[in-house]
Amino acid sequence: MASLQPGTDEVIVAGNMTFVCHDPQRIGSTGIWLEHNPLNYATPLLLIQLVIITLTSLLIDLCLQPLGQSSIVSKICGGIVFGPSLLGHNNAIASALFPLRGTVVIETIATFGIMFFFFEVGVKTDVSMMLRPGRLAIAMGTSVMFVTLVLTTPLSLLLKAYVPMDDSLANSLPLIAASQCLTAFPNIACLLAELKILNTDLGRLAISASCFCDVMGISLMAVTFSIMDTSNLLRSFLAILSTAALLAIIAYVFRPAVLWVHSHTSEGKVVREIYITAIFIAVLVASLVSEIVGQHYILGPLVLGLAVPEGPPLGAALVTKLDSFVSGLLYPTFLTVSGLKTNIFKIHLQSTWIILFIVLFASLAKIGAVLLTAHFTDMPSREALVLGLVLNARGICELAIYILWKDDQILTDQEFTLVVISVVAVTAIITPLIRALYDPSTQQFPVKRRTIQQAKPGAELRVLVCIHNQENVPTIVNLLEASCATEEGPVAVIAVLLVELVGRAAPMLIAHQPHYTAEPNASASRSGHIINALRQYELYNEGCVTVRSFSAISQLETIHEDICRVAFDQNATIVIIPFHKYWAIDGSIGSVNRAIQNMNSKVLDRIPCSVGILIDRGILNGSMSIINSQSEYRVAVLYIGGPDDAESLSYGVRMVNHNNVTLTVIRFLLFGSDNARERKLDTDLINAVRHANAGNEAFSYQEEVVRDGVGLATCIRGLENCFDLILVGRQHQASTLLQGLGEWIECPELGVMGDFLASSDFGSAASVLVVQQQRVLGGRMMNRGMKPVVNDREMPLHLPGMQSHGGVTATTAGDSGVTWPISMDRI
């Protein structure tokens, strides 16, 4: 054959086969200056394809975001735009941008993308959720999968027998119907992450059910691939045996090796590059062996990923290496390639109605299966409906199967186009429906008055402390110690360690065993240090203090859900959350974490009790501990008026009973102010506190009369080096006292006074606790009296889904709270 000139690829069509004659030397272009079109060469063509499909997908995603659509819709649509259905229908555009000679290259790139994507999914997956799901997850997963399979497959056979259709559709219709029963974990995890409901009860149940479905689905697919394309039982048996051998090698050779690497890499340390490289090579080998034994090439990488321990250090390191490149470029390329293969001009109207009927029936069957199961488990119908919609999520798993069937000529262009469009259509419909029907931020909890001010005398103080940074522990321990735990007034500490979700797909809420002390090898880790410090505080106050520790592993943008859940379940009186700024030892701002700031704002809006934001400046005075110390711990309460100041005063009054604590209450009065009702209520509370502490040398009270915000700021600056801890309320009524201070507010979550005390202009080494008293019903303040009151009446607020969820129980009255599906730490 004569050599081909640039741009003159020869295409030969023979039946269903297309042959492309391409010059193998046309890899890199010599440039446009030599009068050659760079797109006639493989490398420039691939680059331009990746660029345009990525930019087009991003543009479509921006357009669809206001409609609440999932990103998978935009990525597939990006391929459809350049496929034969739209722009690709023009031969000039198709031959220039997506010619046949470039198909093998871009599909190979997409293959590597899907291979490493499924490996990453396996790394992020918690295997225990697949092997040990809850009873409700098993019931949901089993009913959804088998009800859909049992109803949809016979329906396809009836349609095949009694409805006229193409021969190709008749042959593939049972397989298409059977594929509707898939409930793939990657699809659901991606959808829940985009909807930001991963760590809600509904999201956790959906994840558990889909993981259990994946166990059955992977097993069935492995067996199907083993017996497919074989003509006798011996070959089928050998195919199954070889697949079992591959899985055994991964389980008993590869997994012990990665566990060794995991155990020899301390948390916070960098995993050695040679280990990362070796694991990536193992992914390629596992994919190759999967192909050799007759399985799909993604089976080996997926199981290999499941063998890697999720989370830091190893799992997080692998995900960090892969996430940007694979999830950001190669994974969208695979979805776009799926769209490129669709051709709406091959579709017949009769076939469209048949596939539409099958897909719609299967979707309704899944929802019906969930509703039926929910009926016997007392799950609310609304939540069951949303769960049914979530379990209908379609995505990359279905596309991978459909592309395989198309390559094996099980599906023709018509059937493939219809099933790809069905994936887009179902996802496009259920995503906005889920957003409309399920909004966890609007749920109301049944709450009692949970404030320090309104607690009974001698009642247990239940403090939930959120710890994100290990350096905050000394100041937190000082705050807890100053809370004055006694046998008559004990303190219960609920510690929630905030861990950012890295290297995992699903969030976790881990309840550490009571009286658990980290072993020496674990104490080197961040969580080990924190748990041991709190355990030492508990031992020092033995009989007066109890400590319960949790680890909330979640994305910081949704971790407030776990904080509110634990606060409600544990009947917390006050929640202490960290400030988003961290001080350096020289007094400057060392670091700023905006994700923590956003978390704090969400907690303030939703928390079912009082809350305090702790501005930790302990590093400026050497993180002095008041445990086993005779030095004074000087506490000040800055009082202007209002429920938040009343709460901070109540907390300070409790502290003054500690032997090492001195309390100074400073009340700021406006010059010439009349004796309004609000001021009278504040005065009554102050007088009650002064009367209760009469004769207590550790208590002092002073009043400052100021004319405006300038005078207030001047008075506060005079306190810069006088105290170790300052308590102040978050919000105050509009007053001339605060005039001018709120114009340049930087941190609105702190309020005017808190923002001033947290600013770098306030040159104090004192830590600050900004307190907000409990809010209910959409942010309305509770009716406060300025004297301690106790309200035992439960407010009749309705929370959808607060009944039994199969191991998840809740009560609507009394003080027993709610028990949630929490993973137990068994170390």
Side-chain angles (χ1 to χ4, degrees), residues 594-659:
R594 294 298 177 187
I596 293 294
Q597 185 180 25
N598 294 332
M599 178 199 77
N600 289 345
S601 298
K602 295 173 183 177
V603 170
L604 289 168
D605 290 338
R606 296 200 57 203
I607 202 71
C609 59
S610 296
V611 60
I613 300 179
L614 180 61
I615 303 164
D616 181 10
R617 291 194 181 101
I619 192 173
L620 303 183
N621 55 25
S623 298
M624 176 194 69
S625 174
I626 63 173
I627 297 180
N628 292 323
S629 174
Q630 298 302 317
S631 58
E632 280 187 343
Y633 190 67
R634 301 164 299 172
V635 179
V637 175
L638 307 186
Y639 196 96
I640 295 177
D644 293 349
D645 277 354
E647 188 73 0
S648 65
L649 177 61
S650 301
Y651 199 5
V653 168
R654 181 183 175 101
M655 293 180 180
V656 76
N657 296 318
H658 193 283
N659 293 331

Side-chain angles (χ1 to χ4, degrees), residues 226-510:
S226 298
I227 63 177
M228 192 169 59
D229 298 330
T230 55
S231 55
N232 57 56
L233 292 177
L234 178 60
R235 290 182 180 178
S236 299
F237 175 75
L238 292 176
I240 295 175
L241 188 64
S242 58
T243 302
L246 170 62
L247 300 180
I249 291 173
I250 293 175
Y252 296 104
V253 177
F254 177 78
R255 180 166 173 79
V258 295
L259 288 177
W260 183 88
V261 173
H262 184 79
S263 63
H264 283 75
T265 305
S266 302
E267 187 176 346
K269 299 294 183 180
V270 178
V271 181
R272 293 180 60 185
E273 199 68 28
I274 188 173
Y275 298 146
I276 301 293
T277 304
I279 291 174
F280 287 162
I281 293 174
V283 174
L284 300 177
V285 172
S287 185
L288 171 64
V289 175
S290 298
E291 285 281 295
I292 292 174
V293 301
Q295 293 294 329
H296 196 282
Y297 60 84
I298 66 173
L299 177 65
L302 176 60
V303 178
L304 206 71
L306 293 173
V308 177
E310 80 279 4
L314 184 57
L318 291 171
V319 171
T320 302
K321 295 283 186 182
L322 291 172
D323 203 37
S324 297
F325 186 64
V326 173
S327 299
L329 182 64
L330 298 185
Y331 164 65
T333 299
F334 179 84
L335 297 176
T336 306
V337 168
S338 303
L340 284 171
K341 293 183 176 183
T342 62
N343 188 352
I344 62 174
F345 297 102
K346 299 283 188 178
I347 298 176
H348 297 130
L349 183 60
Q350 179 75 1
S351 302
T352 303
W353 285 112
I354 294 173
I355 295 296
L356 175 63
F357 183 70
I358 287 289
V359 172
L360 179 61
F361 181 83
S363 301
L364 294 177
K366 280 189 177 182
I367 296 174
V370 173
L371 290 172
L372 182 63
T373 306
H375 175 72
F376 292 102
T377 57
D378 296 327
M379 184 178 182
S381 299
R382 187 184 182 92
E383 282 198 4
L385 175 61
V386 175
L387 180 61
L389 293 173
V390 171
L391 296 180
N392 266 297
R394 314 292 168 90
I396 193 168
C397 297
E398 286 83 2
L399 292 178
I401 294 174
Y402 296 149
I403 287 179
L404 176 69
W405 287 348
K406 185 178 186 301
D407 293 339
D408 290 341
Q409 298 183 0
I410 297 175
L411 301 180
T412 63
D413 290 342
Q414 173 188 240
E415 289 81 58
F416 180 78
T417 301
L418 287 171
V419 292
V420 170
I421 291 176
S422 73
V423 169
V424 175
V426 171
T427 306
I429 292 172
I430 67 171
T431 305
L433 284 177
I434 295 170
R435 293 184 190 273
L437 293 173
Y438 188 75
D439 183 6
S441 65
T442 62
Q443 296 184 20
Q444 299 290 343
F445 292 104
V447 295
K448 290 178 67 174
R449 296 283 183 92
R450 293 180 183 172
T451 67
I452 301 175
Q453 180 194 0
Q454 294 155 343
K456 294 179 180 179
E460 181 182 54
L461 177 65
R462 302 185 64 81
V463 184
L464 189 151
V465 291
C466 301
I467 305 174
H468 181 253
N469 195 321
Q470 182 177 319
E471 283 69 30
N472 297 143
V473 173
T475 300
I476 290 174
V477 172
N478 279 345
L479 177 64
L480 295 173
E481 175 62 23
S483 299
C484 190
T486 62
E487 292 183 0
E488 294 78 18
V491 173
V493 179
I494 306 104
V496 179
L497 281 59
L498 308 179
V499 182
E500 188 171 4
L501 185 69
V502 179
R504 291 182 172 93
M508 298 179 65
L509 183 59
I510 303 172

Side-chain angles (χ1 to χ4, degrees), residues 123-145:
V123 172
K124 290 181 178 180
T125 302
D126 182 8
V127 180
S128 64
M129 294 180 67
M130 302 180 71
L131 301 180
R132 295 190 301 273
R135 289 177 295 177
L136 182 57
I138 293 176
M140 286 292 181
T142 304
S143 62
V144 165
M145 187 169 187

Side-chain angles (χ1 to χ4, degrees), residues 504-561:
R504 291 182 172 93
M508 298 179 65
L509 183 59
I510 303 172
H512 301 281
Q513 292 181 352
H515 310 300
Y516 162 72
T517 302
E519 298 296 330
N521 60 344
S523 64
S525 68
R526 168 182 173 273
S527 59
H529 279 303
I530 296 172
I531 292 175
N532 283 343
L534 295 174
R535 176 62 174 153
Q536 292 302 315
Y537 161 70
E538 182 183 20
L539 292 175
Y540 179 75
N541 295 277
E542 191 171 8
C544 305
V545 170
T546 58
V547 175
R548 186 75 190 276
S549 299
F550 297 83
S551 289
I553 306 173
S554 181
Q555 296 174 343
L556 291 181
E557 61 182 347
T558 57
I559 203 168
H560 64 281
E561 297 281 354

